Amino acid sequence: MDAGPESWRGVLVAGGFSAIPRWTRDPVPGVGEYNATVPEDLVAALRRRAGELAVPLSSVLLGAHAKVLSALCGEREVATGYVAQAGGQPLPCRLTTEPDSWRALLRHSGQVESELLSHKDVPADEVRRELAVTGPPFETVFDPAGGGSIGGALAGDLAGGTVLRVGVAPRAGGLVLRLRYRSEVLDADCAARIAGYHLTALALMVADLDAEHGRQSLLSTEELRLQLEGLAGPRRELPDRRFHELFEQRVAAHPDAVAVVHGDRHWTYRELNARANRLGRALLASGLRREDVVAVVTERNLDWMAAVLAIFKAGGVYLPIESHFPADRIATTLSRAEVRLVLTEPGSTSTLERALDSLPGVRPLFIDQACAEDHADDDLGVAVAAEQLAYIYFTSGSTGEPKGAMCEHAGMLNHLYAKIADLGVDQGLVVAQTAPQCFDISLWQLVSALLVGGRTVLVEQDVILDVERFVDKIVDRRVAVLQLVPSYLEVVLTYLEQHPRELPDLRCVSVTGEALKKELAQRWFAAEPGIRLVNAYGLTETSDDTNHEVMDKVPEGERVPLGRAVQNVHVYVVDEYLAPVPLGAPGEIVFAGVCVGRGYVNDPERTRLAFLADPHRPGQRLYRSGDFGRWLPDGKLEFLGRRDTQVKIRGFRIEIGEIENTLLRVPGVRDGAVVVAERADGSKHLVAFYSAERPLGIDLLRDRLGHSLPEYMVPSALHWRETLPLTANGKIDKKMLTALLGELEVVEEDSDAPSTPTEQRLAAVWGKVLGIPAEQIGRHDHFFDRGGSSLSAVKLAIALDRAVSLKDITGHPVLTDLAELVAGRSERRTGLPQSLPESESAAAGFAEPRVADLLSSL
């Protein structure tokens, strides 16, 4: 076989596409040019280095170009076009920046160039056609002899998909870099930066050929300063007080104003403060010391708010625990945080009591009883420092154990003031509290209004489960600020589209926990143009949200950005060595400033990996998020996803490893893997595969998993295989498992197919809600076993125009049973629609394990 075509075949089959950042605020079609002179002394030094390495100067220049491309696209493997002869067509050229030193990198570029030139006469385009390779193979072109005189036309234009062409032209004994670029993609400043990166790379390799180039930044001093300072949140002084002290000032200013409402009960600022003070003194009488962790196991009610305030006032650390969590998980959480006291109430103690059986050193303290003791109700006056711990929230952990993120009072207060400023929380306004206690957003929803003399409305869980009642509550309670996960906002919006009504007091809706799709933003502003939408982003370890994108109209880009950093927060986009990457390039999102928490409670190893010393600000902490993003030209952050096994489903951060480790502990399971399935509507759910000698009962598996995992982490489907597929290196092949899902969801063409008109219509609606083709739904299918959740059940009820209730769906989850229920009612009334409403988003489900999670992420 001819070596030439085979060489091109290997390059083209390997694929790869190095996309450079889009960076212009004024995209104008056309071609721009930027020239940068390579100083004569640098050229002379480069020639000497080339001689030392026995490679041509062009190989040195190609190595610098590869380094720049790697920095711009965030990948070590890069692809560029290479002009082998003046006026010739660019040839595909693949390089790697994997070699550690400049010396090794330049030898590699020399080998690649030599190989490429040996086959330059073999037409690569013919091989591309033979292999049916479509689309442009590269965006950049490197021309080591980029002919033409300075000021003249550069040989070869920006043909095809070329965005940037870098040529090297002689100039009076020296060289000049000549950049031509598409002005609808890059602007002049960006072109100048890219030219600067090339010059810096050349200077660094001259300075020390044996230096580890991966640790050397290409950024100029000016760009580095912009990223470290100019893109930070605005600097604002915080009061030298803690949250509870500022609340006490509000109590003194307007003691009789209503502070919190739950159902038909409410407390004034004076009443809330008095109860919190009595409870705080009861904690101190029980032996609470500075930074002792106090767990709170209550329903979302008035006493929950009093308990949080009491812990802060007494100098303790707040740890929320959901009363419906498995006893094993509660015990693990209490043990890891070294909890000695648990504030609770009758009705929230069933699983707590089982957890405490194994923890004799932990004592429950009932809130009503503690407040009935003879304690004074004036302010405690306990000194609490800004750097003192305020709270701990536990999130999923990859080792099979949850991890508890510790955050301090200064970070909490900074976040509260950022919410107040950006969401418009003000005196007299009402903030809705909708999130469960274990979700970190629950805290700002609970207490932010108390800093400005506003009011908190605790929305009952059964109200959230009924979207009509939920909207009624928002209107009746005059809610001004509301926060939801996007999947539930879609439910609310679908209801409002079908049943329009005025929302006279609602000023701002914040969304968080999931990526906000632009289509949902478009629908929102079409329906509610006068109500701002705020895309919020942050992590538990960073005292909650660090970025806000405040919108009064649909954003212009393809994605909804994460927005700018909030006050006193520094956000960096960095490489693996924590050095900022070029503007617009992808990198890991890391955080610095007052927002960064203290680490994970009693977990030094995971703390060491994620919480580091800030290399740019001595004495400060930095947190590595594991999220990837990039800066946009307007100074806003854009989210690009994650590169580990951590996923977010309905706002909850889930470590796949924790579920897999729990699955492997089930007797009889030999091996297991969990994958994230995504349906046509973009909704995600967890699916587990396991190997065992024989299939295990689904109920048994769910029960075993449910002993240790909260409902939102239990996979919606579990599939048995005698053996699981493996990759070439012996690891479970998750790509193959994901591909198997489509086959597993197909229903055989037999008697299981829906038969009656009602069953067929129900199957069509199920399909829309679950994102499954209707022909793949059988009459004996279980709604929740097919990936349905409490949220998708709410969507189903809406799609059926309330012909069935949420209770009907949970009580009759099998399709034929639900159809029989509907058919029985049809004699008395008609309500089952022949088809869905025109808006398909009415049935856009967000799949999640079982209905028992009770929309726990809302």
Side-chain angles (χ1 to χ4, degrees):
M1 183 178 291
D2 190 348
E6 186 60 26
S7 177
W8 290 131
R9 192 172 285 111
V11 171
L12 293 169
V13 168
F17 185 82
S18 301
I20 63 174
R22 275 54 184 153
W23 193 273
T24 175
R25 299 194 66 174
D26 185 22
V28 178
V31 176
E33 182 169 333
Y34 182 86
N35 296 322
T37 300
V38 185
E40 291 184 17
D41 57 342
L42 179 56
V43 175
L46 291 170
R47 293 187 191 278
R48 289 194 297 272
R49 289 301 193 194
E52 292 176 31
L53 296 170
V55 298
L57 178 61
S58 57
S59 294
V60 175
L61 299 171
L62 179 61
H65 183 62
K67 170 66 177 176
V68 172
L69 269 188
S70 177
L72 288 172
C73 71
E75 301 289 346
R76 293 185 178 182
E77 303 285 335
V78 296
T80 186
Y82 181 94
V83 180
Q85 51 194 9
Q89 291 298 313
L91 300 174
C93 176
R94 290 181 56 82
L95 303 108
T96 178
T97 58
E98 192 70 37
D100 290 340
S101 67
W102 288 109
R103 184 186 301 275
L105 175 61
L106 296 185
R107 283 176 174 162
H108 166 71
S109 64
Q111 292 171 353
V112 170
E113 184 180 44
S114 176
E115 175 78 11
L116 184 148
L117 291 175
S118 69
H119 304 303
K120 70 178 187 300
D121 295 327
V122 179
D125 284 346
E126 290 184 9
V127 180
R128 291 185 77 242
R129 286 192 292 271
E130 175 191 333
L131 295 173
V133 176
T134 60
F138 39 74
E139 281 197 342
T140 63
V141 170
F142 179 70
D143 185 354
S149 60
I150 301 302
L154 189 64
D157 205 346
L158 299 183
T162 303
V163 167
L164 172 69
R165 187 181 180 106
V166 179
V168 184
R171 175 181 174 180
L175 296 173
V176 62
L177 293 178
R178 305 183 61 196
L179 276 63
R180 283 174 64 83
Y181 56 91
R182 292 194 182 278
S183 54
E184 65 266 35
V185 177
L186 307 176
D187 60 21
D189 288 342
C190 183
R193 284 200 306 274
I194 293 174
Y197 300 153
H198 282 82
L199 293 174
T200 299
L202 294 171
L204 289 170
M205 63 178 63
V206 163
D208 186 357
L209 269 180
D210 294 312
E212 188 177 350
H213 67 80
R215 294 184 177 275
Q216 294 182 313
S217 174
L218 301 181
L219 273 58
S220 68
T221 302
E222 293 75 14
E223 183 181 350
L224 189 61
R225 185 182 303 113
L226 170 66
Q227 295 206 39
L228 297 181
E229 300 293 345
L231 297 178
R235 180 166 179 78
R236 292 173 182 160
E237 291 295 327
L238 294 174
D240 188 20
R241 294 285 187 275
R242 309 295 80 78
F243 157 74
H244 58 277
E245 295 170 336
L246 295 167
F247 163 71
E248 290 165 358
Q249 292 177 0
R250 286 295 177 178
V251 174
H254 40 73
D256 297 321
V258 174
V260 58
V261 177
H262 179 244
D264 57 0
R265 297 180 62 205
H266 71 268
W267 283 346
T268 65
Y269 275 74
R270 188 203 315 271
E271 291 169 331
L272 172 60
N273 192 49
R275 189 165 180 86
N277 287 336
R278 289 194 295 272
L279 189 54
R281 283 191 165 83
L283 288 171
L284 293 174
S286 298
L288 182 72
R289 300 164 301 185
R290 183 181 188 272
E291 288 199 350
D292 275 354
V293 182
V294 181
V296 176
V297 184
T298 68
E299 299 302 320
R300 285 175 35 233
N301 54 28
L302 300 181
D303 268 335
W304 170 40
M305 179 180 275
V308 174
L309 276 166
I311 294 168
F312 292 156
K313 284 169 174 279
V317 180
Y318 164 55
L319 169 61
I321 295 180
E322 298 282 354
S323 59
H324 59 80
F325 272 11
D328 288 351
R329 192 177 184 88
I330 293 176
T332 299
T333 302
L334 295 175
S335 177
R336 173 59 63 87
E338 297 181 344
V339 171
R340 295 189 304 110
L341 285 171
V342 180
L343 284 175
T344 188
E345 59 189 359
S348 298
T349 58
S350 55
T351 55
L352 175 62
E353 289 173 355
R354 294 198 299 274
L356 295 183
D357 287 342
S358 61
L359 300 170
V362 183
R363 183 163 68 91
L365 184 63
F366 287 92
I367 295 173
D368 274 340
Q369 294 178 9
C371 290
E373 296 171 0
D374 188 21
H375 295 297
D377 61 5
D378 58 328
D379 295 333
L380 277 66
V382 174
V384 178
E387 68 276 7
Q388 200 165 318
L389 277 188
Y391 61 79
I392 298 173
Y393 278 88
F394 273 80
T395 64
S396 178
S398 58
T399 62
E401 284 192 17
K403 52 190 178 183
M406 303 182 288
C407 293
E408 298 171 343
H409 276 273
M412 180 185 77
L413 188 64
N414 187 73
H415 177 251
L416 292 176
Y417 273 115
K419 277 288 185 285
I420 289 168
D422 293 346
L423 273 59
V425 183
D426 206 349
Q427 183 172 346
L429 294 186
V430 178
V431 175
Q433 200 293 310
T434 58
Q437 289 115 313
C438 66
F439 200 177
D440 57 356
I441 66 173
S442 64
L443 187 57
W444 85 259
Q445 293 179 357
L446 182 71
V447 302
S448 62
L450 302 183
L451 285 177
V452 293
R455 179 182 305 178
T456 302
V457 169
L458 301 170
V459 182
E460 301 87 338
Q461 195 66 34
D462 62 322
V463 171
I464 297 175
L465 288 168
D466 187 328
V467 67
E468 182 178 14
R469 292 174 61 199
F470 180 76
V471 173
D472 286 343
K473 175 75 73 171
I474 298 304
V475 174
D476 294 345
R477 293 299 188 187
R478 305 189 65 179
V479 169
V481 177
L482 175 66
Q483 184 175 47
L484 303 170
V485 292
S487 46
Y488 191 69
L489 176 63
E490 187 175 19
V491 171
V492 173
L493 184 54
T494 297
Y495 175 79
L496 291 172
E497 289 169 340
Q498 296 177 4
H499 307 279
R501 65 179 302 179
E502 295 293 323
L503 304 174
D505 297 291
L506 191 59
R507 295 185 178 184
C508 176
V509 173
S510 173
V511 287
T512 192
E514 303 162 356
L516 173 62
K517 297 177 182 178
K518 185 174 179 178
E519 294 78 8
L520 184 57
Q522 290 170 331
R523 286 178 59 199
W524 175 259
F525 284 114
E528 304 292 344
I531 301 176
R532 289 181 303 157
L533 199 59
V534 176
N535 192 26
Y537 165 76
L539 296 104
T540 305
E541 292 88 343
T542 59
S543 307
D544 202 356
D545 293 326
T546 54
N547 293 71
H548 288 156
E549 170 64 359
V550 182
M551 297 170 281
D552 54 19
K553 63 179 180 179
V554 181
E556 295 179 357
E558 295 180 3
R559 299 186 182 97
V560 178
L562 301 179
R564 294 183 173 86
V566 303
Q567 61 183 36
N568 302 321
V569 166
H570 294 270
V571 181
Y572 314 144
V573 179
V574 302
D575 61 19
E576 60 186 305
Y577 302 108
L578 301 182
V581 299
L583 288 168
E588 184 179 2
I589 302 172
V590 300
F591 303 89
V594 68
C595 66
V596 178
R598 191 183 292 184
Y600 300 116
V601 61
N602 293 320
D603 199 341
E605 179 59 21
R606 284 194 283 192
T607 297
R608 181 185 65 81
L609 295 174
F611 293 83
L612 311 174
D614 185 350
H616 310 293
R617 290 182 172 78
Q620 295 194 27
R621 290 191 297 268
L622 176 147
Y623 174 69
R624 300 188 66 166
S625 71
D627 287 346
F628 278 73
R630 62 185 169 202
W631 290 112
L632 298 175
D634 57 5
K636 297 176 181 178
L637 192 65
E638 183 178 62
F639 179 71
L640 298 177
R642 292 192 63 83
R643 294 190 180 180
D644 55 16
T645 61
Q646 193 180 97
V647 297
K648 267 198 172 183
I649 289 186
R650 295 223 329 260
F652 277 107
R653 197 169 67 191
I654 296 171
E655 291 277 5
I656 295 296
E658 181 175 358
I659 306 173
E660 291 174 339
N661 285 331
T662 306
L663 180 62
L664 291 175
R665 292 199 295 267
V666 176
V669 172
R670 291 196 298 255
D671 214 343
V674 176
V675 298
V676 178
E678 184 166 348
R679 296 187 172 120
D681 63 355
S683 62
K684 297 177 181 178
H685 64 123
L686 300 170
V687 177
F689 290 85
Y690 70 97
S691 64
E693 184 176 348
R694 64 182 64 86
L696 304 177
I698 297 298
D699 290 340
L700 168 66
L701 283 170
R702 283 206 174 103
D703 184 61
R704 292 279 188 173
L705 293 174
H707 276 308
S708 300
L709 301 173
E711 286 288 344
Y712 64 82
M713 290 180 67
V714 177
S716 62
L718 297 107
H719 298 293
W720 170 80
R721 285 289 183 272
E722 190 171 350
T723 59
L724 299 183
L726 302 177
T727 63
N729 60 7
K731 295 183 178 180
I732 295 175
D733 192 336
K734 291 194 174 183
K735 289 185 177 179
M736 185 174 291
L737 292 177
T738 302
L740 280 174
L741 289 177
E743 302 173 17
L744 293 171
E745 290 182 342
V746 175
V747 174
E748 295 182 2
E749 295 290 338
D750 57 14
S751 58
D752 193 53
S755 56
T756 70
T758 302
E759 287 178 356
Q760 292 166 356
R761 292 197 296 273
L762 272 177
V765 181
W766 276 34
K768 291 289 186 180
V769 170
L770 297 174
I772 301 172
E775 60 270 18
Q776 294 182 9
I777 295 175
R779 63 194 308 265
H780 297 297
D781 277 1
H782 190 292
F783 183 77
F784 300 104
D785 286 347
R786 293 308 304 270
S789 67
S790 48
L791 179 56
S792 48
V794 173
K795 292 184 177 184
L796 178 62
I798 295 174
L800 295 173
D801 202 19
R802 306 182 71 80
V804 295
S805 66
L806 182 64
K807 184 178 181 181
D808 293 333
I809 298 169
T810 57
H812 303 78
V814 176
L815 186 135
T816 185
D817 294 341
L818 188 61
E820 187 176 333
L821 175 70
V822 173
R825 291 175 176 173
S826 63
E827 297 179 0
R828 300 185 299 275
R829 60 171 183 162
T830 58
L832 183 62
Q834 297 295 320
S835 60
L836 285 174
E838 289 185 8
S839 173
E840 291 195 7
S841 57
F846 190 80
E848 184 48 39
R850 304 280 291 178
V851 77
D853 64 17
L854 294 177
L855 287 183
S856 60
S857 69
L858 298 180

